[in-house]
Amino acid sequence: MRTSFFGLEIAVRGLYTSRQQLDITGHNITNVNTAGYSRQVAMQQASAPLGVPSGAGMVGTGSDVVGISRIRDDFLDFKFWSENDDYGEWETKFTMMSELEAIFDEPSDNGMNKVFDDFYFSLQELAKDPSNESVRALVKQNGVAVARYFNSIASSLNRVRSDCNNALKIKVDEVNSYARQIRDLNEQIYKSELNGNVANDLRDQRTELVNKLSKIIDVEATEIVVNKQGAEEKHFQIVIGGSFLVNHFDSFELEVYQNSENMYDIRWADSKNQYVPKSGEIKGYLDIRDGTGSKGEYAGVPYYINKMNEFARTFAKAFNEGIMKDGTKAYTGHAGGIGLDGTTGIRFFTYDGKSSEEFMADGADAYNNITAFNISISSDIENDPRKIATASPNGEAGNNINIAELINTRRDNRMFSEGAPEDFMKALISTLGIDTQYAEKISSSQETIINQIEHRRLSVSGVSIDEEVANLVKFQHAYNSSAKMISVMDEIYETTINRLGIGGR
């Protein structure tokens, strides 16, 4: 009598299959909070059947796990990467523009209106008594405050520009680091998949790195099939700006170098060719750092520095010479008045603390040399407040005719193209507010798009605890059932073998 162990073999295969399913389920549950992890499922199928000797048909042999699949939608990945760079760019712009808003800080106790109000109030007090030296000292002090207001704004703007410049180097270093990690993962994935397996966890790590990279720069990430010596190989590539950042086992680095302004520009380390980003955080920092707002450029820090330089020059010229923005001479100006000591031709505002004589020695460039960084009161006023020109040339040194004209410059709509000084600042701050709101709007819109894509990715690739627990119960029952089948087969074979043994005696 012949005895077969075929049923026991089927049950053992069931144990192995269920055990693998349980292991995969446990792996999913463990990685429920792992960033970039893709849910994995076993590819289970019936094992190859055996033919019945009588020719009556085929007998099943159980089941096998023939692979472990990584549940991922490549289209959603590509969509995420193509939107993430725009999000990175505008989020950066919004963050930096918000810093610019904080610098101007209007209205506030330290803003332009407060500084100018204090300065002109002291002029009004001096107009009441031009011979009062203590009030003259107050005018000098408030004049210094006006100059320092410009200096402070310019320094703060320059600091933001410097921060953007330093951030560029950090971001370039991050790009190079991600590129090297992706290159190393390409090699690990290639070696792991030589035997036909799929390196699911390594691929997840690579995708997560591309996610981070895509926020910094605009990337084109693809996996291509290459025929090499008659065998097909998968090569993963990342292209930025038309050049390879990663090509299978090779990575290429970017580097920063100092340009003529001692600011960082970006180029390829090997070819030295310039790299100009189209989007991403790097693009955001470059636009904020370098944007002049002219010829289609973004209005970044240089735009606001140029506007503050214009403000300082125009105001200084109007106060000193009585010349408005359009070139008309509306007032005698401080230089045309007479101080308490009888001096005339004194400029109240110069730059770098120069005297009126030194300042006017610059000739036609005198006012062009004034910037928000260097505007100051003249050394003449600094050393002797009696030189503040309150009187008119035709009156006595103690009259207040000239200072009355100087006070009128506060509200003169001819001083700037935009109007009076506060009108200029209102227009500038309004522009800044609009630009900041626009950056916030685009950033928020892109964030919404990114979140929607990410929700779709998670709905495909994410791990659901409820689903995995249900699978855990299902595979546990399958495992127990296979174990029960082994127990039953064991009883059958034991009875059969024992009976055969008894019968043969």
Side-chain angles (χ1 to χ4, degrees):
M1 183 177 180
R2 298 174 58 191
T3 304
S4 171
F5 291 91
F6 186 62
L8 190 60
E9 175 66 20
I10 293 175
V12 170
R13 286 193 176 187
L15 281 180
Y16 288 150
T17 299
S18 299
R19 176 59 185 271
Q20 283 184 280
Q21 292 277 21
L22 286 169
D23 290 342
I24 294 168
T25 301
H27 186 56
N28 287 339
I29 292 173
T30 303
N31 287 281
V32 65
N33 294 317
T34 301
Y37 177 78
S38 303
R39 180 169 53 92
Q40 298 179 14
V41 297
M43 300 169 62
Q44 182 177 338
Q45 67 180 35
S47 53
L50 296 177
V52 178
S54 64
M58 306 283 286
V59 176
T61 59
S63 65
D64 289 320
V65 173
V66 296
I68 301 174
S69 178
R70 169 178 175 254
I71 306 302
R72 199 84 193 181
D73 189 327
D74 290 338
F75 171 76
L76 292 178
D77 288 335
F78 296 145
K79 183 67 174 173
F80 182 90
W81 299 333
S82 67
E83 298 290 348
N84 201 28
D85 54 353
D86 286 334
Y87 173 55
E89 175 187 348
W90 287 101
E91 182 190 41
T92 298
K93 286 179 176 177
F94 171 58
T95 300
M96 303 313 296
M97 294 299 285
S98 298
E99 288 192 25
L100 297 186
E101 281 193 315
I103 289 171
F104 286 96
D105 193 24
E106 289 287 352
S108 73
D109 291 339
N110 300 311
M112 174 266 179
N113 284 327
K114 180 64 166 63
V115 172
F116 271 62
D117 284 344
D118 289 346
F119 177 59
Y120 278 94
F121 175 77
S122 63
L123 289 176
Q124 290 173 343
E125 291 299 305
L126 184 58
K128 297 175 183 177
D129 184 6
S131 62
N132 190 322
E133 294 193 11
S134 62
V135 178
R136 285 178 174 269
L138 179 62
V139 171
K140 182 192 83 169
Q141 179 182 338
N142 287 332
V144 170
V146 169
R148 286 180 177 173
Y149 167 77
F150 288 110
N151 301 157
S152 175
I153 291 290
S155 297
S156 297
L157 290 173
N158 208 42
R159 186 163 53 251
V160 171
R161 194 165 187 238
S162 179
D163 290 343
C164 289
N165 191 57
N166 293 330
L168 280 179
K169 186 177 188 308
I170 294 172
K171 291 301 175 181
V172 167
D173 290 341
E174 286 184 21
V175 168
N176 292 334
S177 175
Y178 291 146
R180 288 191 296 268
Q181 292 178 64
I182 291 170
R183 174 202 64 195
D184 294 342
L185 282 170
N186 283 346
E187 189 169 355
Q188 295 177 49
I189 290 169
Y190 175 79
K191 291 178 180 178
S192 300
E193 295 182 350
L194 282 174
N195 59 0
N197 291 325
V198 180
N200 294 321
D201 294 324
L202 294 178
R203 285 179 170 271
D204 282 341
Q205 293 177 34
R206 185 173 68 185
T207 299
E208 184 63 14
L209 288 173
V210 179
N211 289 344
K212 295 176 180 178
L213 185 63
S214 67
K215 190 176 183 181
I216 303 174
I217 51 175
D218 49 302
V219 301
E220 298 176 22
T222 54
E223 188 169 44
I224 63 172
V225 178
V226 177
N227 194 306
K228 193 172 183 180
Q229 297 178 349
E232 291 187 345
E233 295 182 356
K234 292 181 178 180
H235 289 192
F236 188 77
Q237 302 172 335
I238 296 179
V239 175
I240 62 170
S243 300
F244 283 117
L245 179 66
V246 178
N247 184 17
H248 199 36
F249 296 163
D250 298 317
S251 66
F252 305 88
E253 293 198 349
L254 298 171
E255 66 177 9
V256 295
Y257 67 97
Q258 288 191 328
N259 58 25
S260 58
E261 295 185 69
N262 290 324
M263 291 289 177
Y264 290 130
D265 279 340
I266 307 172
R267 66 189 178 190
W268 291 99
D270 53 356
S271 67
K272 306 304 180 185
N273 291 332
Q274 193 84 1
Y275 169 68
V276 180
K278 297 178 181 177
S279 54
E281 291 176 332
I282 288 180
K283 168 70 169 172
Y285 284 121
L286 281 172
D287 281 351
I288 294 293
R289 189 195 73 179
D290 298 336
T292 62
S294 62
K295 297 180 180 179
E297 285 188 5
Y298 188 80
V301 174
Y303 170 80
Y304 293 97
I305 288 179
N306 291 337
K307 295 298 286 185
M308 291 305 296
N309 289 341
E310 178 189 346
F311 189 10
R313 292 177 186 130
T314 304
F315 173 73
K317 192 171 186 178
F319 196 86
N320 287 348
E321 315 294 343
I323 298 175
M324 301 293 105
K325 177 68 175 178
D326 61 3
T328 60
K329 188 172 179 62
Y331 304 102
T332 302
H334 190 275
I338 298 175
L340 190 60
D341 60 354
T343 57
T344 189
I346 302 299
R347 272 70 188 177
F348 193 97
F349 292 104
T350 61
Y351 67 94
D352 291 337
K354 287 190 172 187
S355 67
S356 297
E357 183 179 356
E358 292 171 330
F359 176 65
M360 295 311 294
D362 293 342
D365 291 329
Y367 285 100
N368 290 334
N369 290 336
I370 290 180
T371 68
F373 292 96
N374 64 22
I375 188 173
S376 66
I377 65 170
S378 66
S379 60
D380 307 280
I381 303 297
E382 176 68 34
N383 297 330
D384 188 359
R386 293 184 304 163
K387 295 186 183 297
I388 297 174
T390 56
S392 67
N394 299 323
E396 298 177 356
N399 72 39
N400 66 355
I401 296 174
N402 195 59
I403 197 170
E405 286 190 358
L406 294 177
I407 293 170
N408 289 336
T409 62
R410 176 74 167 93
R411 305 296 178 189
D412 198 313
N413 291 327
R414 297 170 294 176
M415 185 180 293
F416 296 95
S417 300
E418 295 82 359
E422 61 263 33
D423 296 323
F424 181 96
M425 287 302 296
K426 284 178 182 177
L428 183 63
I429 293 172
S430 176
T431 299
L432 176 57
I434 291 171
D435 289 346
T436 304
Q437 287 178 0
Y438 181 76
E440 180 182 21
K441 180 180 178 181
I442 300 298
S443 172
S444 178
S445 176
Q446 285 299 124
E447 184 178 19
T448 300
I449 293 172
I450 287 296
N451 288 338
Q452 288 176 345
I453 297 172
E454 183 61 17
H455 287 324
R456 290 172 63 188
R457 290 209 299 183
L458 289 174
S459 68
V460 174
S461 305
V463 175
S464 168
I465 288 294
D466 292 340
E467 183 179 348
E468 296 303 323
V469 169
N471 287 338
L472 195 64
V473 174
K474 179 175 67 175
F475 299 137
Q476 180 187 14
H477 285 321
Y479 185 90
N480 292 338
S481 297
S482 294
K484 182 64 176 178
M485 183 178 176
I486 291 175
S487 177
V488 170
M489 295 302 297
D490 177 61
E491 291 179 10
I492 292 173
Y493 293 141
E494 182 180 1
T495 301
T496 304
I497 292 170
N498 286 340
R499 286 184 179 179
L500 284 174
I502 295 172
R505 291 176 183 170

